[in-house]
Amino acid sequence: MCGRYAASRRPEDLAGIFEIEKWEPEETLEADYNVAPTKEVYAVLDRPLKDADDPRPVRQLRTLKWGLVPSWSKTPEGGARMINARAETVHEKPSYRRAFTSRRCILPADGYYEWVTGKQERDLEVEGKKKRPRKQPYFVTPADGSVFAMAGLYEFWRDRTLPDDHPRAWWVTCSVITTEAETSPLAVAPAEGPHSLAEIHPRMPLMLTQDRWDAWLNPSRTDPEDLRGLLAPPEPGLMRAYPVTTAVSNVRNNGPELLKELAAPEEGTLF
C-alpha cells in the first residue's frame, strides 16, 4: 500500500522533469518529508486550461488533496480512506472507474515509507507479551535517485453547501494506484533486513517509468482494456530500501532527517 511518502522536489525541478507547461506559483508547497492522507500534494496532469479557447490538453502541475472523493459522493468524509486504488480492480470499482478512463495523473515523490514488524516484536506478540508490536519503518526509493512517479487518479467534487464563487466550492482530490510488491531482489538492500519489497509489504505504489508518462497522462486514451496495459509493473531491480528513524511514524514529525539511512534497524525492530 502507500500510506505515507516524501516529496521534497521544488516545482521548478518538477517542471523540468515532467515538461510542465503551466503551474501557479501561489500553489507552491513546502518540501514535505512525511506526506500523509488529506494533505495537499503535487500532481502532474494533462488537461485543457479553464476558460481557454484552445481545447488541447496542457501539462500542468496542480495541488490536490490526497484522498479521493468520487464526484457522486454526497459528502467528502470517505476521502481519507480512499488513498489507494488497486491496479487489479481500478477499472471496475465504482469509486475509481470513471477517473481511470479520463482523469489520470502522476504523483511525484522521492519515495515512500513502509513499516515492518521485527522478528523480536513478532515473537513477543505471539507469546502475548506485547499488544502493540513496534515496527521498523523503511524508505523505498529509486536506486538511481530519480523521481518516484506514482500512478494516480484525480477527481472533482462539488460542495453543494457553498455558493459557486466560493474558493472551497470545488474539491480536487487524488488517489495512488498500488500493485503487488516485487519479489525479486532489491537493487540495493540493507545489510540487516528485507531483501525484496514483498518482504516489507505485499503491496507497493505503481511506479511509472518515463516511457509511460505521456501515454498515462493522455486524456484521449479512454478504453479501459487499452489503459490496463499501462498498469503493468516496471522491470524489477529499480528500487532500494533502507531503515529510517521511527520518528516518521508520527505525522507531526517532518524534515530531511527522516530520510537519513540508519546503519541498522532500531533496537527491538530487527527484521
Side-chain angles (χ1 to χ4, degrees), residues 108-231:
D110 304 327
Y112 70 99
Y113 300 100
E114 197 56 81
W115 282 256
V116 175
T117 302
K119 183 180 184 303
Q120 296 176 21
E121 297 285 301
R122 288 197 300 267
D123 291 345
L124 290 173
E125 188 179 21
V126 169
E127 295 171 10
K129 297 180 180 179
K130 199 171 186 69
K131 293 183 179 179
R132 290 193 65 185
R134 188 181 184 203
K135 296 186 176 183
Q136 172 62 54
Y138 282 81
F139 187 63
V140 182
T141 185
D144 63 1
S146 61
V147 66
F148 191 104
M150 301 186 294
L153 307 174
Y154 69 98
E155 188 60 273
F156 293 93
W157 181 78
R158 175 69 167 88
D159 186 345
R160 298 297 176 185
T161 66
L162 299 174
D164 290 342
D165 58 352
H166 195 282
R168 299 287 295 173
W170 284 95
W171 291 38
V172 191
T173 60
C174 60
S175 184
V176 176
I177 295 179
T178 66
T179 187
E180 289 188 358
E182 296 176 5
T183 58
S184 54
L186 289 159
V188 181
E192 298 180 44
H195 290 84
S196 73
L197 293 178
E199 291 180 19
I200 299 175
H201 194 278
R203 306 289 298 179
M204 64 176 290
L206 176 63
M207 185 178 80
L208 296 172
T209 51
Q210 187 172 359
D211 59 310
R212 295 188 188 180
W213 293 353
D214 289 345
W216 178 254
L217 296 175
N218 186 351
S220 68
R221 298 183 70 157
T222 59
D223 180 75
E225 291 305 313
D226 170 53
L227 293 168
R228 290 181 68 189
L230 299 175
L231 296 174

Side-chain angles (χ1 to χ4, degrees), residues 10-145:
R10 301 179 306 166
E12 295 89 347
D13 297 329
L14 295 174
I17 293 169
F18 292 101
E19 300 180 344
I20 301 295
E21 299 176 74
K22 176 73 172 178
W23 67 278
E24 300 294 343
E26 61 267 24
E27 292 189 0
T28 298
L29 300 173
E30 294 292 328
D32 195 338
Y33 299 89
N34 204 353
V35 180
T38 73
K39 280 190 171 185
E40 298 290 318
V41 300
Y42 283 135
V44 179
L45 53 91
D46 285 5
R47 186 177 180 84
L49 294 176
K50 186 178 181 180
D51 301 325
D53 295 331
D54 188 352
R56 74 176 181 88
V58 173
R59 183 151 303 174
Q60 305 174 47
L61 184 65
R62 300 284 297 274
T63 300
L64 315 182
K65 183 185 289 291
W66 187 17
L68 189 140
V69 180
S71 60
W72 43 261
S73 180
K74 293 182 179 179
T75 66
E77 275 70 27
R81 298 190 301 272
M82 299 182 66
I83 60 173
N84 293 161
R86 295 174 68 94
E88 298 86 349
T89 58
V90 67
H91 65 289
E92 59 188 14
K93 292 292 184 180
S95 296
Y96 301 118
R97 61 191 181 194
R98 290 174 62 182
F100 178 59
T101 58
S102 57
R103 286 178 290 279
R104 296 176 302 278
C105 63
I106 291 174
L107 303 171
D110 304 327
Y112 70 99
Y113 300 100
E114 197 56 81
W115 282 256
V116 175
T117 302
K119 183 180 184 303
Q120 296 176 21
E121 297 285 301
R122 288 197 300 267
D123 291 345
L124 290 173
E125 188 179 21
V126 169
E127 295 171 10
K129 297 180 180 179
K130 199 171 186 69
K131 293 183 179 179
R132 290 193 65 185
R134 188 181 184 203
K135 296 186 176 183
Q136 172 62 54
Y138 282 81
F139 187 63
V140 182
T141 185
D144 63 1

